[in-house]
Each structure stands twice: as structure tokens, then as C-alpha cells.
């Protein structure tokens, strides 16, 4: 079977079609235009009902963390780092949320395009651009936008994982194994932060089983070709053969699971140090 040449994110090297590019930036422009207009007009003031701004603001006295969920402390830490450079102002939070949403939109678009195609990606972009919940979320000092950024980043990584399996495949070499471990680690971290992280597992399972036939087919092709090539190679080429060996689905699942367990456990241990609660008390 013939496959088209693709980049690492699965796009054809001829670039994204012009019409699709125009539609993407149209959705982006409309969405950002609405948000920036509301910010400058003052019609939607920034609110801190949950006191995240109060906790995150740089001040002399330390305060207890606002631990409403696992992501709360990470969000407060990120706000504190932002305030170190630009000062303690509520409008800074709104601009920070806009930046997080901009990056998240692009992660979600490319992840959706890799997994489900350009039609689904364009629909998703249009929906997010005018979604009233997301627009209002810019003006509330809560962790939703911070979590959306990390969730969309992992969704994008899953899209790359699916497309690379489909086009090129994963092999028993350090770079591929490290990628899977790191992706699993971050998924485990996000799952501990909030229950919505487990939704990523559905997309991951979809990506694994969607590409299972490709793994089997490419593995069979490689084994046939390697049998012929082995007659022409020296023994010194054994290490090259090892690096070219296709990674089976079971190995991918095992590496991902090990990464997720490590990420979840490391996150729980961090919050144990912050809150003083044992791991079993955090559930």
C-alpha cells in the first residue's frame, strides 16, 4: 500500500489548503475580536469570587493554597509567576487567559485535524470561537483556562501519536519510547488535576485501536524486507535492525501506562507535601 509523504504532525507537505487557512484565521479573528472588545469595553469586569487572585498575588505574607481541585494549586503557581513580571492586576489575568485560549485553540485544531479530519477541526474551531462559556471564562479568576491549555496540548500530542503510527510507525528506539513515556506522564498528571483528564484516555484508546491494522501491516512488510536484507548484511548491523524494529501495540500500551502511573503518583506526592494530607486522604 502506498502512503503520502507527511510531516511529523501529519500534514501534507504541500501545506494546508488556502481556503482552510482562511477559515481558520477567520474563526480565530472573530473569537479574539469578541474577547478583546469585551475586555476593553469594561462590560465584563474580571471577578475573583474564588480568591485565586488574592492567593496568587505577590505579597509579603504567605497564604494557604486554594485547594478546590488538583489543578488549583498549579494554576495559582502559574499566576504568581506571571505577576512577578507584570505586577498584581486583575486585567493581567484576563490577558493571561486570552493567551492560554489562543494557544489552546491551535492545539485543539491540529489535534482534531490529525484524529478526525479537517471538517471536524473547522467545526471545532468555529464552536470554540463563539462559545459563551469560554468567553465568560476569560473574566473569572479560575483554573479552567489553565487546565484547557494542558488538556488541549495533550490532545495535540495524542493526534501526533495517532498520525505517526498511521504514516511512519513507532519503533524500539530511545526517541519513540521517551515520547510515549512523557506523554503518559503528562496524561497521568492531568488526570490527577481534574476528572476531565480521563476523557483523554478515550481519545488515546481510539488512536491505539484505529491504528492497530497499520501496525500489523507495516510490521509484516518490514519482516519480509528484513529477511531479504539480512542475507546481505554483516553481523555488525544487528543494532540497526533493533532500532528499526516496529513497536507492537502491547509495548506502546505498557510504556504509556507506566508513564501515566508515574505522572499520577508524582503529582499526588507533590500535593502531599503542599497540603500535609496522605495520598489516600486526597481522594
Amino acid at each position: 500500500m502506498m502512503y503520502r509523504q507527511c510531516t511529523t504532525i501529519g500534514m501534507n507537505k504541500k501545506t494546508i489548503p488556502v481556503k482552510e487557512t482562511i477559515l481558520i484565521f477567520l474563526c480565530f479573528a472573530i473569537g479574539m475580536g469578541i474577547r478583546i472588545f469585551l475586555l476593553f469595553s469594561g462590560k465584563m469586569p474580571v471577578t475573583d469570587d474564588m480568591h485565586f487572585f488574592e492567593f496568587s498575588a505577590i505579597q509579603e505574607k504567605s497564604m494557604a493554597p486554594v485547594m478546590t481541585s488538583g489543578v488549583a494549586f498549579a494554576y495559582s503557581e502559574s499566576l504568581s509567576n506571571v505577576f512577578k513580571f507584570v505586577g498584581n492586576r486583575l486585567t493581567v489575568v484576563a490577558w493571561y487567559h486570552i493567551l492560554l485560549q489562543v494557544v489552546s485553540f491551535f492545539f485543539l485544531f491540529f489535534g482534531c485535524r490529525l484524529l478526525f479530519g479537517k471538517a471536524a477541526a473547522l467545526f471545532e474551531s468555529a464552536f470554540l470561537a463563539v462559545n459563551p462559556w469560554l468567553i465568560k471564562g476569560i473574566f473569572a479568576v479560575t483554573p479552567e483556562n489553565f487546565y484547557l491549555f494542558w488538556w488541549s496540548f495533550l490532545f495535540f500530542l495524542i493526534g501526533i501519536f495517532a498520525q505517526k503510527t498511521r504514516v511512519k510507525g513507532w519503533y524500539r528506539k530511545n526517541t519513540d519510547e521517551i515520547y510515549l513515556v512523557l506523554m503518559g506522564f503528562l496524561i497521568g498528571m492531568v488526570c490527577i488535576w481534574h476528572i476531565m483528564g480521563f476523557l483523554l484516555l478515550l481519545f488515546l484508546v481510539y488512536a491505539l485501536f484505529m491504528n492497530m491494522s497499520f501496525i500489523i501491516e507495516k510490521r509484516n512488510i518490514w519482516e519480509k524486507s528484513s529477511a531479504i536484507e539480512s542475507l546481505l548484511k554483516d553481523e555488525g548491523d544487528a543494532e540497526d535492525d533493533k532500532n528499526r524494529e516496529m513497536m507492537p501495540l502491547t509495548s506502546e500500551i505498557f510504556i504509556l501506562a507506566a508513564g501515566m502511573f508515574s505522572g499520577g503518583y508524582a503529582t499526588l506526592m507533590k500535593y502531599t507535601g503542599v497540603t500535609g494530607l496522605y495520598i489516600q486522604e486526597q481522594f
Side-chain angles (χ1 to χ4, degrees):
M1 181 179 290
M2 299 296 293
Y3 297 93
R4 294 186 301 171
Q5 268 193 321
C6 297
T7 64
T8 54
I9 63 170
M11 307 300 178
N12 190 283
K13 286 188 175 181
K14 293 181 179 179
T15 71
I16 299 175
V18 176
K19 289 183 179 180
E20 185 180 350
T21 303
I22 293 173
L23 289 173
I24 295 167
F25 281 97
L26 181 62
C27 293
F28 170 79
I30 292 173
M32 292 305 102
I34 294 172
R35 289 158 173 79
I36 293 173
F37 169 77
L38 291 173
L39 179 60
F40 278 109
S41 67
K43 293 182 178 181
M44 296 186 69
V46 181
T47 60
D48 185 32
D49 296 336
M50 299 182 67
H51 307 292
F52 281 102
F53 176 83
E54 183 181 357
F55 168 68
S56 304
I58 304 303
Q59 50 196 330
E60 294 181 1
K61 295 182 179 180
S62 60
M63 298 179 63
V66 185
M67 295 294 291
T68 57
S69 65
V71 71
F73 184 76
Y75 172 67
S76 297
E77 280 187 318
S78 72
L79 276 185
S80 294
N81 291 328
V82 171
F83 291 153
K84 288 177 183 178
F85 295 98
V86 294
N88 303 328
R89 297 194 303 274
L90 278 171
T91 53
V92 169
V93 180
W95 283 110
Y96 178 52
H97 287 173
I98 289 175
L99 176 62
L100 290 175
Q101 286 196 9
V102 168
V103 180
S104 299
F105 288 173
F106 282 103
F107 280 146
L108 289 170
F109 170 79
F110 286 111
C112 191
R113 195 179 196 278
L114 292 170
L115 284 169
F116 306 113
K118 64 180 181 180
L122 288 171
F123 175 81
E124 167 264 330
S125 298
F127 173 76
L128 293 178
V130 298
N131 186 293
W133 181 82
L134 287 175
I135 294 173
K136 292 179 181 178
I138 286 176
F139 303 95
V141 189
T142 54
E144 282 79 5
N145 290 291
F146 179 79
Y147 189 77
L148 175 66
F149 167 80
W150 281 99
W151 196 97
S152 61
F153 174 63
L154 286 167
F155 183 70
F156 175 60
L157 292 186
I158 292 173
I160 294 177
F161 166 71
Q163 188 71 358
K164 186 177 183 298
T165 306
R166 186 187 301 121
V167 175
K168 186 179 179 181
W170 293 85
Y171 294 85
R172 291 186 180 277
K173 57 183 182 180
N174 292 337
T175 53
D176 287 2
E177 291 170 351
I178 290 172
Y179 183 93
L180 295 179
V181 169
L182 289 177
M183 183 172 70
F185 184 93
L186 292 175
I187 291 175
M189 178 187 73
V190 168
C191 287
I192 295 299
W193 276 357
H194 194 272
I195 195 172
M196 283 296 294
F198 289 96
L199 185 60
L200 289 168
L201 299 182
L202 297 180
F203 294 111
L204 184 59
V205 170
Y206 169 77
L208 285 167
F209 286 95
M210 179 181 65
N211 297 316
M212 185 165 53
S213 60
F214 290 91
I215 296 173
I216 296 173
E217 181 179 359
K218 289 184 178 182
R219 185 178 179 84
N220 291 336
I221 292 173
W222 181 83
E223 287 177 348
K224 290 179 181 179
S225 63
S226 62
I228 298 174
E229 292 173 1
S230 62
L231 300 175
L232 306 175
K233 287 184 177 181
D234 299 327
E235 293 182 359
D237 294 325
E239 185 64 26
D240 293 335
D241 288 340
K242 181 181 178 182
N243 290 334
R244 289 185 55 204
E245 183 180 354
M246 182 74 73
M247 189 184 302
L249 185 64
T250 52
S251 295
E252 292 180 8
I253 294 173
F254 177 79
I255 293 173
L256 286 167
M260 285 186 280
F261 176 82
S262 300
Y265 183 77
T267 304
L268 288 172
M269 289 299 295
K270 177 179 180 179
Y271 293 136
T272 297
V274 171
T275 64
L277 298 175
Y278 292 106
I279 290 179
Q280 63 267 25
E281 296 176 308
Q282 298 181 39
F283 292 95

